[in-house]
């Protein structure tokens, strides 16, 4: 009798367990496919490092990390990196998101989609702009302060991004591509 009761109870549960196993298998296959597709989209050409050491000419560019500035609101904020040259002052903000990123320049919130979950985060361009104003005020310059938002190389941009929203591997190339003289040597 105990065996019959076990079979009667176990048989309907077995089909449910098989169904859950198949669903889990399909999700695993889909996640694996998504990861492979994401990896292919972010592949760099052979020989190119995904993250490189400082490639800026130290005679032209001076780099400063983790500087504290006072924002217009009166609050202090850390600036991730500032690069100073005759071509401008570049205020870099490093974004910590992973996965797919959606956003526009004007939106107050952007979205990050990772592992099927969507999270909102503050538009990093707006914070970078506040940092740039604070740096400009600190250096007493009104022009030539440029913002750059740098994302991890694994991030996939799912909406068109402004030219100053870049991947980490492109950071130095982007900075070096801006060659209009703004400051004299003595100002730098």
């Amino acid at each position: 009798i105990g065996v019959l009761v076990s079979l009667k109870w176990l048989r309907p549960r077995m089909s449910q367990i098989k169904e859950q196993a198949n669903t889990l298998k399909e999700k695993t296959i889909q996640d694996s496919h998504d990861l492979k597709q994401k990896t292919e989209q972010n592949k760099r050409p052979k020989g190119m490092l995904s993250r490189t050491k400082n490639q800026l000419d130290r005679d032209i560019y001076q780099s400063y990390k983790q500087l504290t500035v006072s924002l217009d609101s009166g609050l202090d904020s850390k600036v991730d990196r500032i690069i100073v040259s005759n071509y401008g002052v570049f205020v870099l903000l490093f974004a910590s998101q992973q996965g797919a990123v959606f956003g526009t320049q004007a939106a107050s919130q952007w979205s990050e989609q990772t592992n099927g979950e969507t999270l909102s985060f503050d538009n990093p361009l707006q914070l970078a702009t506040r940092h740039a104003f604070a740096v400009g005020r600190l250096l007493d310059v009104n022009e030539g302060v440029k913002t750059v938002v740098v994302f991890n190389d694994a991030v996939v941009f799912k909406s068109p991004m402004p030219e100053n929203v870049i991947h980490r591997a492109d950071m130095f190339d982007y900075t070096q591509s801006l060659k209009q003289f703004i400051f004299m040597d003595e100002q730098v």
Side-chain angles (χ1 to χ4, degrees), residues 103-108 110 123 125-126 129 147 160-165:
T104 64
Q105 192 163 358
S108 63
W110 285 15
N123 180 341
L125 285 168
Q126 294 176 354
T129 300
T147 60
M161 293 290 163
E163 70 173 8
N164 63 332
V165 177

Side-chain angles (χ1 to χ4, degrees), residues 4-181:
L4 288 174
V5 170
S6 292
L7 286 175
K8 191 173 183 174
W9 180 82
L10 191 58
R11 188 166 280 159
R13 302 275 186 251
M14 286 303 290
S15 63
Q16 187 180 23
I17 291 170
K18 284 181 183 178
E19 210 174 288
Q20 288 174 343
N22 285 334
T23 302
L24 185 58
K25 181 180 176 184
E26 288 172 14
K27 184 175 179 353
T28 303
I29 291 170
Q30 181 63 41
D31 287 349
S32 175
H33 174 71
D34 291 347
L35 181 60
K36 185 177 180 181
Q37 196 174 31
K38 182 176 169 183
T39 302
E40 287 299 317
Q41 287 174 345
N42 289 312
K43 240 183 201 175
R44 303 268 175 217
K46 255 190 176 172
M48 182 182 233
L49 299 174
S50 62
R51 183 173 176 200
T52 56
K53 275 289 194 194
N54 189 344
Q55 298 173 344
L56 297 175
D57 184 341
R58 291 178 188 216
D59 293 332
I60 299 172
Y61 300 94
Q62 290 83 47
S63 180
Y64 305 94
K65 297 178 183 177
Q66 299 298 314
L67 298 173
T68 302
V69 295
S70 292
L71 301 175
D72 285 338
S73 64
L75 297 174
D76 286 346
S77 184
K78 281 228 188 274
V79 176
D80 295 327
R81 189 174 202 169
I82 297 174
I83 299 173
V84 180
S85 74
N86 295 99
Y87 308 116
V89 176
F90 302 92
V91 179
L92 281 70
L93 179 118
F94 291 95
S96 61
Q97 283 66 34
Q98 304 288 322
V101 171
F102 304 82
T104 64
Q105 192 163 358
S108 63
Q109 293 284 302
W110 285 15
S111 298
E112 165 192 20
Q113 190 174 40
T114 182
N115 298 327
E117 188 178 351
T118 301
L119 302 171
S120 293
F121 61 99
D122 291 335
N123 180 341
L125 285 168
Q126 294 176 354
L127 177 58
T129 300
R130 289 193 298 272
H131 282 174
F133 282 129
V135 168
R137 192 173 54 248
L138 182 69
L139 299 176
D140 197 27
V141 293
N142 294 326
E143 294 181 29
V145 181
K146 302 169 182 165
T147 60
V148 183
V149 176
V150 182
F151 280 92
N152 179 305
D153 292 332
V155 164
V156 177
F157 298 129
K158 291 293 189 171
S159 52
M161 293 290 163
E163 70 173 8
N164 63 332
V165 177
I166 59 175
H167 288 104
R168 188 175 190 110
D170 302 324
M171 177 174 67
F172 297 119
D173 289 339
Y174 174 77
T175 304
Q176 290 173 332
S177 73
L178 302 169
K179 293 292 187 184
Q180 180 182 355
F181 273 97

